């Protein structure tokens, strides 16, 4: 993916990836042209019209556009176009990380040093709620992300829950499902494996059964 380099503040250089075609897949019709919205946001940063940038990145971030989530987190951290808000920046950074934005992990590590532990827990709950809402609405891409949430975002990795969700993702042929399941199974107590498979089966039935 090509990248567009923009200066934000005090010679800080930030990468804003160009909006790729796959960003269109999960946007609802109310965002008529996501590519245009992203370009408007990038141009707004270039012109230091940060309020406009925040507005457009936020629309896209709320529709699970991972690059936009990362860029919104950067603006929130810097306090450009919106008051500084480290917990909110951390929320979007974690979501971007779970969505596959490689640079997000470094930003998350930085923000964890700025957000008190109790507030971190609240932010983790917010991320979990967003992922569950996406799954409940039929966005199956969130399955592997929710599994990974239990490995990368929680203070202590929850391999058992991650295994169950990766198993569901694998059954539904979601990218990363099989690999994730096989990676975590080594960390799961064999005595609990059947119980976790039962849990995965129940989740699978709930997701695939007609209403």
């Amino acid at each position: 993916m090509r990248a567009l380099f923009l200066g934000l503040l005090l010679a800080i250089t930030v990468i804003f990836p160009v909006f790729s075609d796959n960003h269109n897949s999960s946007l609802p019709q109310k965002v008529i042209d996501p590519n245009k919205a992203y370009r408007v946001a990038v141009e707004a940063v270039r012109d230091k019209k940060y309020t406009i940038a925040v507005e457009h990145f936020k629309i896209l971030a709320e529709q699970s556009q991972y690059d936009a989530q990362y860029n919104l987190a950067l603006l929130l951290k810097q306090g450009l176009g919106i008051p500084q808000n480290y917990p909110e920046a951390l929320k979007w950074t974690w979501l971007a990380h779970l969505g596959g934005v490689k640079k997000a992990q470094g930003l998350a590590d930085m923000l964890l040093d700025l957000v008190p532990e109790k507030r971190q827990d609240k932010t983790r709950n917010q991320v979990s709620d967003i992922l569950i809402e996406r799954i409940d609405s039929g966005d199956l891409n969130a399955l592997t992300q929710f599994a990974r949430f239990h490995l990368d975002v929680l203070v202590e990795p929850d391999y058992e829950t991650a295994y169950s969700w990766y198993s569901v993702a694998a059954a539904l042929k979601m990218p990363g499902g099989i690999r994730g399941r096989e990676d975590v199974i080594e960390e799961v107590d064999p005595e609990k494996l059947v119980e976790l498979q039962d849990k995965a089966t129940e989740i699978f039935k709930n997701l695939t059964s007609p209403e």
Side-chain angles (χ1 to χ4, degrees), residues 59-126:
I59 290 172
L60 297 170
E62 289 175 345
Q63 305 303 327
S64 303
Q65 304 308 310
Y66 311 123
D67 292 336
Q69 290 173 345
Y70 177 70
N71 292 332
L72 178 59
L74 289 171
L75 294 171
L76 281 160
K77 179 182 179 296
Q78 298 294 342
L80 296 173
I82 193 170
Q84 276 186 323
N85 190 321
Y86 295 148
E88 189 73 2
L90 181 60
K91 179 187 79 175
W92 291 116
T93 301
W94 270 333
L95 286 166
H97 167 70
L98 295 172
V101 178
K102 294 180 179 180
K103 297 178 71 68
Q105 183 59 61
L107 182 59
D109 292 340
M110 194 182 306
L111 288 164
L112 284 169
D113 290 334
L114 301 172
V115 179
E117 289 186 7
K118 287 185 178 180
R119 193 61 185 274
Q120 290 178 24
D121 290 338
K122 180 179 179 181
T123 304
R124 287 186 180 93
N125 290 336
Q126 290 174 333

Side-chain angles (χ1 to χ4, degrees), residues 14-161:
V14 183
I15 297 177
F16 286 78
V18 172
F19 213 63
S20 60
D21 291 341
N22 62 7
H23 287 73
N24 293 321
S25 58
S26 63
L27 251 77
Q29 291 300 315
K30 69 178 181 179
V31 180
I32 298 174
D33 189 344
N35 291 303
K36 182 178 180 180
Y38 198 91
R39 288 195 297 271
V40 168
V42 170
E43 290 295 331
V45 173
R46 279 178 166 173
D47 296 338
K48 298 184 178 181
K49 297 178 180 179
Y50 299 119
T51 301
I52 294 174
V54 168
E55 177 184 352
H56 285 76
F57 281 140
K58 191 170 189 294
I59 290 172
L60 297 170
E62 289 175 345
Q63 305 303 327
S64 303
Q65 304 308 310
Y66 311 123
D67 292 336
Q69 290 173 345
Y70 177 70
N71 292 332
L72 178 59
L74 289 171
L75 294 171
L76 281 160
K77 179 182 179 296
Q78 298 294 342
L80 296 173
I82 193 170
Q84 276 186 323
N85 190 321
Y86 295 148
E88 189 73 2
L90 181 60
K91 179 187 79 175
W92 291 116
T93 301
W94 270 333
L95 286 166
H97 167 70
L98 295 172
V101 178
K102 294 180 179 180
K103 297 178 71 68
Q105 183 59 61
L107 182 59
D109 292 340
M110 194 182 306
L111 288 164
L112 284 169
D113 290 334
L114 301 172
V115 179
E117 289 186 7
K118 287 185 178 180
R119 193 61 185 274
Q120 290 178 24
D121 290 338
K122 180 179 179 181
T123 304
R124 287 186 180 93
N125 290 336
Q126 290 174 333
V127 172
S128 176
D129 289 344
I130 288 171
L131 294 172
I132 291 172
E133 182 178 353
R134 285 176 56 194
I135 293 170
D136 288 343
S137 69
D139 183 358
L140 299 183
N141 289 311
L143 289 171
T144 53
Q145 294 173 33
F146 193 51
R148 193 176 176 191
F149 167 86
H150 291 87
L151 302 177
D152 294 356
V153 177
L154 296 184
V155 177
E156 295 294 334
D158 182 351
Y159 294 105
E160 295 178 1
T161 302

